[in-house]
Amino acid sequence: MPTAREALLDAALAAVTGRPWPTVRMVDVAAAAGVSRQTLYNEFGSKDGLARALVRRAADAYLDGVERALGSAGGTGDKLAATAAWTVRATRTNVLVRGLLTGCWGDRLPCPADLVRSPRFPIPAQRPADAGPPTPAELLGQVRDRAVAVLDGGRPPHDPAALAVTCELALRLALSYALVPAPAGTEGEVAPLVSHVVERAPDAAA
């Protein structure tokens, strides 16, 4: 059974999926979660606090999926194909992940200016802590670097820069599907496309 906090976050995500965030009322989120409005304020403090938690949860869930994909069976091509497929699926099923990966926030989504980043999103030294959520370029770079670290383990000497380029290509192919969605039910087409590219990339041996 979900905790009150998780129920509230689920209710908030359902609300923002259906209507603009500025029109979402705290009392409606609390009612949908089956708790009192006071419980909501006790958990998050304010609507901005709820927004921060909502975006952070979406980001962490996406990164957890990346870890699972990179830990799947197979070689470099298989792991990157799984990561790309997960990225496309995540952007299709969660509007906040789509915002994080594409920068397409608009005024419909909660994107508080003072969003505090979790440790999963280390803040670059040149950017202030209140600069908002990670930019798509920062997030892509973090996922790319994580992919390189995982794929580099136990491999023979090679060119790390070439592996980084291969990982970034796979991620950018996935993001192209996020920006220009494939027809419903064909998200998996990105996986063979990534496998095809990886097989022909330098230093992409399993």
Side-chain angles (χ1 to χ4, degrees):
M1 183 175 180
T3 64
R5 184 179 182 86
E6 287 302 310
L8 285 164
L9 288 171
D10 289 342
L13 179 59
V16 77
T17 299
R19 60 184 187 273
W21 178 249
T23 70
V24 174
R25 300 191 308 164
M26 296 285 270
V27 64
D28 294 333
V29 172
V35 303
S36 68
R37 186 170 59 172
Q38 187 57 52
T39 297
L40 191 159
Y41 280 104
N42 289 344
E43 286 287 345
F44 303 105
S46 65
K47 190 174 180 180
D48 277 347
L50 176 60
R52 286 193 294 271
L54 193 60
V55 175
R56 184 178 299 125
R57 187 180 71 157
D60 285 343
Y62 169 66
L63 291 175
D64 287 342
V66 168
E67 293 286 356
R68 289 192 297 273
L70 291 173
S72 60
T76 296
D78 298 315
K79 292 177 185 294
L80 288 179
T83 301
W86 160 247
T87 296
V88 173
R89 187 164 65 254
T91 60
R92 169 161 285 188
T93 57
N94 190 312
V95 293
L96 298 177
V97 174
R98 179 179 172 85
L100 284 163
L101 287 170
T102 66
C104 299
W105 291 100
D107 59 1
R108 292 188 59 87
L109 299 180
C111 184
D114 62 341
L115 176 64
V116 178
R117 302 183 192 186
S118 73
R120 302 288 290 274
F121 290 129
I123 300 170
Q126 71 272 20
R127 294 193 67 200
D130 62 352
T135 66
E138 288 172 342
L139 183 53
L140 182 144
Q142 290 161 8
V143 175
R144 177 203 61 219
D145 293 346
R146 179 58 185 152
V148 170
V150 170
L151 298 173
D152 194 31
R155 292 180 48 165
H158 65 286
D159 181 359
L163 180 59
V165 168
T166 299
C167 292
E168 181 148 348
L169 280 172
L171 292 168
R172 289 192 177 277
L173 280 172
L175 291 181
S176 74
Y177 274 68
L179 289 168
V180 185
T186 63
E187 301 92 332
E189 290 181 1
V190 72
L193 180 61
V194 167
S195 295
H196 178 83
V197 169
V198 171
E199 286 172 3
R200 286 156 179 76
D203 194 44

